[in-house]
Amino acid sequence: QVQLTESGPGLVHPSETLSLTCTVSGFSLTGYSVYWVRQPSGKGLEWMGRMRYNGDTSYNSALKSRLSISRDTSKNQVFLKMNSLQTDDTGTYYCTRRAYGSPFDYWGQGVMVTVSS
Amino acid sequence: NTVMTQSPTSMFTSVGDRVTMSCKASQNVGINVGWYQQKTGQSPKRLIYWASNRDTGVPDRFTGSGSGTDFTLTISNMQAEDPAIYYCLQHNSYPTFGGGTKLELK
């Protein structure tokens, strides 16, 4: 059974670093790419970056200077770190998987992050 | 970046109506498009992939069509459980989402 589960702090202070974890089950990180997508409160969806099945990473150019994605295949986890958080980074953060034949089929339940002092 | 423009941004419908929403890509994306349904407080749920393939378990009243730059999601017989925000997503290049169509019941 495929599952993706995001976890992380619910509250981050302005200028601090956000650290999120996507823990997956039911598939291998060496066979699927994992993407991070965020949704500012009441707004639409924005791709942030990806960890490819082969370990390569790519980032949304708008976030690239602040964003880092890594993984631990032995723990079935993908990590997101984003620094210099501001209030407009408040929203829900999702991870989703992509395979060639079935792009973005499963999504995590999301983790709500509030940036506030 | 490929911009995906959805229309309308919102619409009111009645149970039993035929509903059509559009997604236009700023450049050719082939059939690399999916449609997602998002209900309040939930994560996006994929309904359609590769522009016209319905996901397992998705009612056949949902139909996707199009290729290139113009895509359509049709709900043939609106049901009470269908109000949601619907998003298109292109993945021909780095993924980009449309702004969403909010579907509500009158």
Side-chain angles (χ1 to χ4, degrees), chain A residues 39 94 98 100 102-104 108, chain B residues 36 38 43 46 50 87 91:
Chain A
Q39 185 168 36
Y94 299 99
R98 178 180 183 176
Y100 177 76
S102 187
F104 308 108
Chain B
Y36 293 78
Q38 188 179 36
S43 55
R46 195 179 70 178
W50 301 120
Y87 293 97
H91 52 86

Side-chain angles (χ1 to χ4, degrees), chain A residues 9-18 20 37-46 48 63 66 80 82-94 110-117:
Chain A
L11 177 66
V12 179
H13 298 300
S15 80
E16 292 188 343
T17 296
L18 173 67
L20 299 177
V37 173
R38 70 175 179 174
Q39 185 168 36
S41 301
K43 297 187 177 180
L45 298 157
E46 177 186 38
M48 300 181 70
L63 301 172
R66 301 196 288 143
L80 177 147
M82 188 164 69
N83 59 32
S84 305
L85 253 63
Q86 299 301 320
T87 54
D88 59 2
D89 292 311
T90 293
T92 301
Y93 288 70
Y94 299 99
V111 58
M112 177 66 196
V113 174
T114 301
V115 182
S116 175
S117 54

Side-chain angles (χ1 to χ4, degrees), chain B residues 9-74:
Chain B
T9 55
S10 66
M11 57 192 307
F12 287 87
T13 66
S14 300
V15 171
D17 280 356
R18 179 182 179 88
V19 175
T20 299
M21 61 190 76
S22 168
C23 187
K24 292 187 182 295
S26 62
Q27 57 189 291
N28 187 341
V29 296
I31 59 169
N32 296 290
V33 167
W35 287 93
Y36 293 78
Q37 177 192 65
Q38 188 179 36
K39 297 183 177 180
T40 303
Q42 297 183 14
S43 55
K45 173 189 174 184
R46 195 179 70 178
L47 302 175
I48 302 290
Y49 61 101
W50 301 120
S52 61
N53 292 272
R54 193 180 302 114
D55 268 276
T56 302
V58 173
D60 61 7
R61 64 180 180 272
F62 291 93
T63 302
S65 62
S67 65
T69 60
D70 293 316
F71 301 88
T72 300
L73 177 68
T74 300

